[in-house]
Amino acid sequence: MNRTAITLSLALLAGLPALAQEGHDTHHAETPADQMPELPGQCRDMMQAMPADCMAAMQQMMQGTMAPTQADANLPDFTRANLAAMEAMHGPMMQGVRAEDPDLAFVRGMIPHHQGAIDMARIVQRHGDDPQVQAWAAQIIAAQEAEIAAMQDWLAAQAPQAAMDMGGGTVYSANEGGSSISTIDLATGAVSTVTLPLAPHNVDLTPDGKYLLAVGQPATGDHGGEAHGHDAEGAAEGLLAILAPAHLSAPPRTVAVGEHPAHVVADRTGRAFVSLSGGNEVAVVDLAKAEVIARIPTGAYPHGLRLSPDQSQLYVANVEDGSVSVIDTASLAEVARIPIGKAPVQVGFTPSGAQVYVSLRDENRVAVIDTATRDVLSRVDVGAKPIQMAATPDGAFVYVANQGTEAAPDDTVSVIDTASGKVVKTITTGPGAHGVSVSADGAFVFVTNIAADSVSIIDTRAQEVVATVPVGDRPNGVVYGRAD
């Protein structure tokens, strides 16, 4: 394409924001140029003469989609990650600039724009090695995160969300990328975010609601967002933070628990159980004393864990050896290890305690265990790379978040009917669906979208998303707390 054609192409892209939003149905490569409204004749002539592949590329750019195609499968990981970051940015950005007020349009458009810059900077931090580029990336992350926080504060003051009217209660998201926790007030829609001395991978409330617990690696200059996982060799000892939900801004008590803490659950006796992925064990913490009182060996790389409804047993998903550890909470010992499949990440009990659902990330399936016999009853196909799941209080459904990969995030939740053992609904949430929690009455399911920095709220009666709430950077775990 010559310089004149390039100039005209860029002018078209800059001058047709409304046209770019009309969608795939009205912008195919075969659309005649004379059907495009209000284009100068020179532009129409140029577009008619343009090769079909160039026209298709222009239309893809105007539609705001840089999604990887089948031909992109052989691209380097960093290229596919950059394409995914661009794809995640364009939709919210184009939607944001449609606000009727020019100030709102600017702010709502700039927040995802800045987030896209942060995502690309994090990608080059992982894959690049030039010192100057690394310095630029760090500067961009710090500057853009500060601007996003300021813009979100401005939005909260200038354009607060309408009351959600969801029966009250609070949702807490663990924002691992931002070393913070966000709270969503379900009665008002208000969102607030507090920073922590750790990058929380998971959160949980004690049964009495007295403490909010968060686990993760200590916060670093880049917020520790990449500290959890296999490439964080030599990282500092992980922490459990003990917070008062009513005073989250107060400095938390912290307990050094071990290498790479992943998930935490608490029982009614004042103990917390923390899975340590780097130590192949579960640490038991006395919350009143804020100290580790026992350590229980498990399988390789323990991750998600949940207590049985009667709290007599703790099931732990061991990612690297394809098993689930069964721990007796009285003796604090592993009493069984169940082979389950490829990369089990999280477990979830049905309310009766008769069954445990286990996400098999590398099989795109969920396995079902009979807790009486400890046999695997069935396996259910779900979406790409399932992570967390939770059952509704009536035991009728299990909601499974499908995260996908960094290069190709999934954005769905699979709804399993426990009676039939089949997926009866697939709900679109946001890119990188990860954490799952359910309201006490079962009316709503809350899903963190790790690649979109948001929480989707699903109405379980309508089986659809009724709200999407922006939170902090890279939200992972999530927990619902009932209203006082």
Side-chain angles (χ1 to χ4, degrees), residues 73-89:
N74 295 324
L75 290 174
D77 288 346
F78 70 87
T79 304
R80 289 186 286 118
N82 277 321
L83 289 173
M86 295 291 285
E87 165 70 4
M89 177 190 73

Side-chain angles (χ1 to χ4, degrees), residues 136-185:
W136 283 333
Q139 292 167 7
I140 286 168
I141 291 169
Q144 304 288 47
E145 284 185 340
E147 289 190 10
I148 287 175
M151 289 178 176
Q152 287 175 332
D153 288 343
W154 181 89
L155 280 175
Q158 300 295 325
Q161 286 185 282
M164 289 186 171
D165 191 23
M166 293 186 179
T170 304
V171 174
Y172 303 87
S173 70
N175 309 318
E176 189 170 20
S179 296
S180 66
I181 286 177
S182 292
T183 64
I184 305 170
D185 187 328

Side-chain angles (χ1 to χ4, degrees), residues 333-370:
E334 183 186 52
V335 294
R337 191 175 298 178
I338 306 169
I340 194 71
K342 294 180 180 178
V345 175
Q346 176 59 299
V347 300
F349 281 86
T350 55
S352 68
Q355 295 179 338
V356 168
Y357 284 69
V358 185
S359 58
L360 302 177
R361 185 193 63 201
D362 293 351
E363 294 185 21
N364 300 335
R365 294 195 294 181
V366 169
V368 186
I369 297 174
D370 182 317

Side-chain angles (χ1 to χ4, degrees), residues 9 20 75 80 87 98 100 128 238 255 258 277 282 327 341-342 344:
S9 299
L75 290 174
R80 289 186 286 118
E87 165 70 4
R98 283 174 169 263
E100 295 182 2
V255 183
S277 298
V282 168
I327 293 171
K342 294 180 180 178

Side-chain angles (χ1 to χ4, degrees), residues 104-302:
L104 284 175
F106 172 77
V107 174
R108 288 177 175 168
M110 287 306 294
I111 288 175
H113 177 271
H114 283 0
Q115 187 58 53
I118 292 169
D119 292 342
M120 293 182 71
R122 292 196 187 283
I123 291 165
V124 79
Q125 283 183 330
R126 288 192 295 274
H127 297 280
D129 55 17
D130 185 276
Q132 179 60 71
V133 175
Q134 293 296 306
W136 283 333
Q139 292 167 7
I140 286 168
I141 291 169
Q144 304 288 47
E145 284 185 340
E147 289 190 10
I148 287 175
M151 289 178 176
Q152 287 175 332
D153 288 343
W154 181 89
L155 280 175
Q158 300 295 325
Q161 286 185 282
M164 289 186 171
D165 191 23
M166 293 186 179
T170 304
V171 174
Y172 303 87
S173 70
N175 309 318
E176 189 170 20
S179 296
S180 66
I181 286 177
S182 292
T183 64
I184 305 170
D185 187 328
L186 295 176
T188 66
V191 179
S192 62
T193 299
V194 297
T195 58
L196 295 179
L198 69 156
H201 186 73
N202 191 250
V203 287
D204 193 30
L205 284 162
T206 55
D208 59 7
K210 183 178 180 181
Y211 297 124
L212 177 69
L213 309 176
V215 289
Q217 291 298 112
T220 62
D222 63 354
H223 301 294
E226 303 303 324
H228 182 86
H230 297 271
D231 359 64
E233 295 300 327
E237 188 171 16
L239 301 174
L240 165 69
I242 306 171
L243 304 102
H247 305 284
L248 286 184
S249 59
R253 290 185 295 156
T254 59
V255 183
V257 288
E259 190 177 355
H260 305 320
H263 281 228
V264 59
V265 293
D267 68 10
R268 289 186 288 268
T269 69
R271 299 179 300 182
F273 299 86
V274 181
S275 58
L276 299 172
S277 298
N280 298 336
E281 62 184 4
V282 168
V284 185
V285 178
D286 183 313
L287 294 175
K289 296 179 180 179
E291 64 181 35
V292 176
I293 58 174
R295 295 184 182 276
I296 309 166
T298 63
Y301 209 82

Side-chain angles (χ1 to χ4, degrees), residues 270-463:
R271 299 179 300 182
F273 299 86
V274 181
S275 58
L276 299 172
S277 298
N280 298 336
E281 62 184 4
V282 168
V284 185
V285 178
D286 183 313
L287 294 175
K289 296 179 180 179
E291 64 181 35
V292 176
I293 58 174
R295 295 184 182 276
I296 309 166
T298 63
Y301 209 82
H303 198 80
L305 73 171
R306 295 263 174 81
L307 286 160
S308 60
D310 65 4
Q311 301 200 346
S312 65
Q313 294 186 327
L314 179 74
Y315 274 56
V316 187
N318 302 311
V319 178
E320 290 188 346
D321 69 3
S323 71
V324 171
S325 290
V326 182
I327 293 171
D328 179 85
T329 57
S331 63
L332 297 182
E334 183 186 52
V335 294
R337 191 175 298 178
I338 306 169
I340 194 71
K342 294 180 180 178
V345 175
Q346 176 59 299
V347 300
F349 281 86
T350 55
S352 68
Q355 295 179 338
V356 168
Y357 284 69
V358 185
S359 58
L360 302 177
R361 185 193 63 201
D362 293 351
E363 294 185 21
N364 300 335
R365 294 195 294 181
V366 169
V368 186
I369 297 174
D370 182 317
T371 57
T373 63
R374 295 176 182 157
D375 293 330
V376 177
L377 299 176
S378 63
R379 289 179 171 83
V380 184
D381 292 331
V382 291
K385 305 295 183 182
I387 302 296
Q388 292 194 29
M389 86 287 294
T392 52
D394 61 4
F397 300 102
V398 171
Y399 287 73
V400 184
N402 305 307
Q403 181 173 312
T405 64
E406 183 176 341
D410 200 338
D411 60 355
T412 64
V413 168
S414 299
V415 184
I416 300 174
D417 174 55
T418 57
S420 66
K422 296 180 179 179
V423 172
V424 294
K425 181 79 173 181
T426 299
I427 302 170
T428 300
T429 55
H434 182 97
V436 183
S437 186
V438 184
S439 62
D441 61 3
F444 299 101
V445 170
F446 310 97
V447 180
T448 56
N449 303 308
I450 195 171
D453 299 339
S454 65
V455 171
S456 292
I457 302 177
I458 297 171
D459 182 324
T460 58
R461 179 174 296 181
Q463 295 286 31

